[in-house]
Every structure is written in C-alpha cells, then in structure tokens.
Amino acid sequence: RKLYDVVNDMRYKAQSIIWGQWWRATPHWVYAIFAVLLIAAGGFGYGFFYQLNENSKLRDVEWLYRYERLWWKGKEQEDLLRREKIFAVGTQQEQDSVKTCIRQYEKARHIEDTFLYFNPSEK
C-alpha cells in the first residue's frame, strides 16, 4: 500500500510537470525560499539606493566645506587646520568639546534657526 502511494504521488507530480502545471509538483519549501530571497533582494536594493543618496549628500557638503576653507588665511587658517586635526585624529573628548563649542556659538548667535538647506544630524 505504501509503495502504491509513493508511485501514485510520483506519477501525479510527473503528470503535473508534463501538463505544464509545475507549481503542483514544486515542494512548498521552494516557495518559502523564493519569498525570502525576493524580500532580501528588495531590502538590499532599497538599502543600496538609500546609501547612494546619502553619499551624494555628503559629497555636496564636502564641496561646500572645501569652498569655505578657501577664504581662511594666516592665523585663522591655522586654527581651522587645528580643528580639522581634532576631528580627524583627536580623542572623543576633544571632538565632543568642539561640538559643544559649536552648539554654544550657534545658540548665542541664533544661527540654529537658520538651517535652510540642510538639517543637522542631531535635531
């Protein structure tokens, strides 16, 4: 009886494939793997394009910064280079101290209300 059931099941699957009804012969776990791979591909695609957009925004900010640093000369340029060095190779405490200074100056001069073309990451 068991052998008959196995042969009958195999005949049903083979006949389904012959008739073009491959979905009847395909095991259910194949559908699950396909669904997981489809969702993963969608997620990776979304992440890729999101990251690409973020990188283009960072390039714009880089060019803005490079343009602004052209205008510093002498002692002011030395101060700018010192601050750049703090952010590039300084300790976390040094970086936090510069960030605190920036926030204080922005607040004192009411500059924090004038962010028109970008939003600071901490807001």
Side-chain angles (χ1 to χ4, degrees), residues 11-121:
R11 184 180 301 142
Y12 172 75
K13 288 185 179 190
Q15 196 62 40
S16 294
I17 292 172
I18 291 169
W19 288 340
Q21 298 172 338
W22 53 268
W23 59 89
R24 287 188 177 176
T26 307
H28 294 294
W29 59 268
V30 172
Y31 296 125
I33 289 176
F34 178 75
V36 167
L37 290 176
L38 185 66
I39 291 170
F44 282 123
Y46 173 78
F48 172 78
F49 286 110
Y50 177 79
Q51 201 60 34
L52 184 66
N53 188 27
E54 287 293 313
N55 286 345
S56 65
K57 288 179 186 176
L58 286 175
R59 267 188 246 112
D60 293 343
V61 170
E62 173 195 353
W63 281 104
L64 175 64
Y65 178 73
R66 288 172 66 179
Y67 175 75
E68 287 299 318
R69 67 193 300 255
L70 291 175
W71 303 107
W72 299 96
K73 292 186 172 127
K75 174 80 169 111
E76 294 170 337
Q77 188 176 32
E78 291 173 16
D79 290 341
L80 175 68
L81 294 175
R82 183 179 49 78
R83 287 189 299 270
E84 284 180 358
K85 183 179 177 184
I86 288 173
F87 271 103
V89 294
T91 64
Q92 187 66 40
Q93 290 81 11
E94 290 173 326
Q95 292 174 2
D96 288 343
S97 122
V98 172
K99 289 177 185 178
T100 302
C101 230
I102 291 169
R103 286 185 204 105
Q104 289 172 352
Y105 286 143
E106 285 177 346
K107 190 170 181 110
R109 297 177 186 167
H110 304 290
I111 295 174
E112 77 273 7
D113 300 330
T114 62
F115 293 123
L116 299 177
Y117 303 105
F118 74 96
N119 291 320
S121 59

